[in-house]
Amino acid sequence: MQKTAAVLGIERSISGKSWHWLGGNMELTIDHIGLDHDIISQLLMARGVARDDLDRHRDPNLRGFLPDPSEFRDMDRAAQRIAEAIIARESTTIYGDYDVDGATSSALLIRLMRMLGHDADHYIPDRLLEGYGPSGEALVKIGRAGSSLIVTVDCGAMAHEALASAHDAGIDVIVVDHHKCSPELPRTYALVNPNRLDENDLAASHGHLAAVGVAFLLAVAIVRTLRERGFFADRAEPDLFSLLDLVALGTVADVAAIRGLNRAFVAQGLKVMAHRRNIGMAALIDASRLTRSPSCSDCGFALGPRINAGGRVGEATLGVRLLTTNDPEEARVIAEQLSVLNEERRGIEAAVQEAAEEQLASQHNRAVHLIAGKGWHPGVIGIVAGRIKEKTGKPSIVIALDEENGQGKGSGRSISGVDLGAAIIGARESGLLVAGGGHAMAAGLTIEADQLDAFGDWLDERLAGAVAKATASRSLLLDLSIAPRGLTPDLVETLDMAGPFGVGWPGPRVAVGPVRLVKADIVGTDHVRLIASGDDGGSFKAIAFRAAESELGQSLLHGARGRKLWLAGRAKIDDWGARPAAELHLEDAAWAD
């Protein structure tokens, strides 16, 4: 492929990146503003939408994107078994993971069963005492307590031993998951997972779904099965659309790619969330101090972390209890408790982050950062791995070592183009790990401390090529270049019409300039705040988050006086003043003189 010319001639920005158009050559200029239909079309095509498929993507909804659930292996078998349990009022337990995806998946199936006149118990393992995924001991215990059917959500795809124990005990277990699978599947009644290696092409194309998305497809299949059996002859069918707020929250918080069906899930789910009909979700929104309808970013940065805090540093069942309660007071109390735990999590995370970053100097030759420490809280290592990945641009794994048993619990985060989940499964199959699994962008593992060096070497050998390829072209991909006066609330509103945005469907990035900095200072801990002004009379505020110590931040604070720059980032609405204004969330800058 012929390399396109750099945008604005910027071959190397202050951050060391070249600037290019996201769509290759689809330059948009300020002349297009006002042609809403045209600019949205260009944004969609830059994200891979074919011209003849634009209408479906302008208004992402379930009618346009929902596949037939029967396309997925074991889906009909799972739906039939759950339908039988509902009709016979069979004791059922939903066994969920302790993160947001697990909590929302569990809540979705529990609320569905209530709509159908049945109920289900829930079981969420303790992160510290039980670890990730179903254990044979827990499954057998649940069965002996009376549940003849267990549905695991967001876990189970690699739990061969645990599921074999349940099978031998005569317990039917249905696995609803989205994590990577090995060729040999565990012994279950049914295993619904688009990432099964034996899936057909259509089902496999939905491998980017979060577990809660798979659970929603199962809900559709269950209702259809019950309809065929005449279950709704004397009762109304459940409103499955009312469950989409759970799907949106779990999808965004699990960092699933916001494309295709997921984009429809999130777009429609945010509308449901705005109606506040789920009492627990409404309490969560209030505890997050949101005074408007939640956005996609709110799910990832305000709502999701609070649900996660229960599983990370508190009581693992709090998220499911919140999202399934019909008692407003109970919801308020749990939501506030989760907010307190979230603040506690922040403090723990900061301490582990500082200790982990001290090890980075010795890791510069690694393709994958592998950082371990004794006494670190396992509940925050995933967040810290994500921070380090963002800082270094490389996949990162952070491991909390237990001094008593000599094992480490690890969590990893990857970059686009590097399948960390598959690598972790490969390392487990090679005997380097006690346990491990995940998906392309995130993975978890258990390792003996004396295997750390061998594991690090194995990762470098396995992933060095993929990491080198993914990081070879340090480019900032742009959608739009505008003069300072073009950065307006109307522009932000127009750009947002191509959303919702997230991983796999990036928010529009604009270049604004040339400008001179009127003011540059530090706010908060290490955020750089700017006021920029252009020769066209336009001025605006910009902020570069967590950038004060970076080369970009230092250049803006100390080297930009009197010089012209181009600023690049995401256009957002600043509604703190009397009138809404547009501001720039800065990601890069380049000299314009």
Side-chain angles (χ1 to χ4, degrees), residues 10-19 390-392 471 473-476 544-547 549-556 565-568 586-591:
I10 297 169
E11 296 285 356
R12 183 176 178 82
S13 68
I14 294 175
S15 296
K17 300 175 182 177
S18 59
W19 291 7
E390 292 297 328
K391 183 173 184 176
T392 65
T471 58
S473 177
R474 296 196 64 201
S475 298
L476 189 78
F545 295 103
R546 295 187 294 275
E549 299 301 321
S550 69
E551 183 177 359
L552 173 64
Q554 289 296 302
S555 296
L556 295 172
L565 303 100
W566 282 95
L567 303 180
L586 193 67
E587 298 176 67
D588 202 0
W591 305 117

Side-chain angles (χ1 to χ4, degrees), residues 422-444:
I424 295 300
I425 291 174
R428 180 185 62 79
E429 293 175 343
S430 298
L432 292 168
L433 302 176
V434 176
H439 47 80
M441 300 299 289

Side-chain angles (χ1 to χ4, degrees), residues 62 146-147 225 258 285 298 306 355 368 376 402 431 450 459 486 488-489:
L62 298 195
S147 286
T225 299
I258 309 299
I285 294 169
D298 292 327
R306 283 171 166 79
V368 178
W376 290 354
D402 189 316
D450 59 9
L459 283 173
T488 66

Side-chain angles (χ1 to χ4, degrees), residues 370-593:
L370 183 64
I371 297 170
K374 295 179 180 178
W376 290 354
H377 197 299
V380 302
I381 54 176
I383 302 174
V384 174
R387 298 274 192 218
I388 292 174
K389 182 260 296 189
E390 292 297 328
K391 183 173 184 176
T392 65
K394 292 182 178 181
S396 300
I397 298 173
V398 177
I399 297 174
L401 297 173
D402 189 316
E403 297 181 77
E404 294 185 7
N405 63 20
Q407 287 189 343
K409 296 289 186 181
S411 187
R413 298 294 183 268
S414 194
I415 60 177
S416 296
V418 180
D419 191 336
L420 188 59
I424 295 300
I425 291 174
R428 180 185 62 79
E429 293 175 343
S430 298
L432 292 168
L433 302 176
V434 176
H439 47 80
M441 300 299 289
L445 59 91
T446 303
I447 186 172
E448 299 290 352
D450 59 9
Q451 290 279 20
L452 283 172
D453 289 340
F455 177 49
D457 293 341
W458 188 92
L459 283 173
D460 277 356
E461 182 178 350
R462 169 75 176 258
L463 296 178
V467 172
K469 183 178 180 180
T471 58
S473 177
R474 296 196 64 201
S475 298
L476 189 78
L477 300 179
L478 297 158
D479 289 282
L480 178 68
S481 63
I482 59 176
R485 288 186 65 184
L487 187 62
T488 66
D490 286 343
L491 171 65
V492 178
E493 183 177 340
T494 297
L495 296 177
D496 284 348
M497 292 172 68
F501 303 107
V503 173
W505 194 268
R509 188 181 283 120
V510 303
V512 189
V515 298
R516 287 185 173 87
L517 298 187
V518 177
K519 181 179 181 181
D521 59 4
I522 298 175
V523 294
T525 305
D526 57 356
H527 310 313
V528 178
R529 178 179 58 184
L530 309 172
I531 297 179
S533 178
D535 292 340
D536 65 350
S539 63
F540 58 90
K541 290 191 291 186
I543 185 164
F545 295 103
R546 295 187 294 275
E549 299 301 321
S550 69
E551 183 177 359
L552 173 64
Q554 289 296 302
S555 296
L556 295 172
L557 288 166
H558 305 297
R561 184 179 297 276
R563 299 189 65 179
K564 287 187 176 182
L565 303 100
W566 282 95
L567 303 180
R570 316 284 186 182
K572 301 291 183 180
I573 293 293
D574 173 16
D575 52 11
W576 282 98
R579 290 189 305 171
E583 65 178 13
L584 193 67
H585 288 189
L586 193 67
E587 298 176 67
D588 202 0
W591 305 117
D593 51 14

Side-chain angles (χ1 to χ4, degrees), residues 198-357:
D198 59 349
E199 271 295 7
N200 65 55
D201 290 344
L202 189 150
S205 71
H206 290 83
H208 63 296
L209 294 179
V212 69
V214 182
F216 184 85
L217 292 176
L218 177 58
V220 174
I222 293 168
V223 170
R224 182 170 62 187
T225 299
L226 289 170
R227 183 187 306 123
E228 292 170 350
R229 293 191 177 193
F231 186 79
F232 301 112
D234 57 356
R235 69 173 72 204
E237 293 195 14
D239 177 12
L240 294 182
F241 277 74
S242 69
L243 301 172
L244 288 175
D245 55 350
L246 296 169
V247 183
L249 177 57
T251 298
V252 174
D254 207 53
V255 202
I258 309 299
R259 56 182 173 81
L261 178 57
N262 274 349
R263 188 161 164 260
F265 277 151
V266 174
Q268 302 306 317
L270 290 174
K271 296 176 183 177
V272 175
M273 201 178 292
H275 291 304
R276 298 169 58 92
R277 290 174 184 149
N278 182 315
I279 290 172
M281 188 76 76
L284 183 65
I285 294 169
D286 291 340
S288 301
R289 307 295 186 261
L290 294 177
T291 57
R292 49 170 172 72
S293 298
S295 66
C296 195
S297 62
D298 292 327
C299 290
F301 295 104
L303 307 181
R306 283 171 166 79
I307 297 292
N308 265 335
R312 292 187 188 280
V313 298
E315 183 183 341
T317 62
L318 288 175
V320 177
R321 288 169 51 201
L322 174 65
L323 296 174
T324 57
T325 185
N326 291 318
D327 182 340
E329 180 59 20
E330 181 185 22
R332 184 192 66 77
V333 170
I334 295 176
E336 290 297 338
Q337 186 178 355
L338 286 171
S339 289
V340 171
L341 289 171
N342 193 45
E343 288 303 313
E344 180 182 336
R345 185 269 306 168
R346 289 175 187 270
I348 296 171
E349 174 195 328
V352 175
Q353 177 86 21
E354 181 178 0
E357 290 192 359

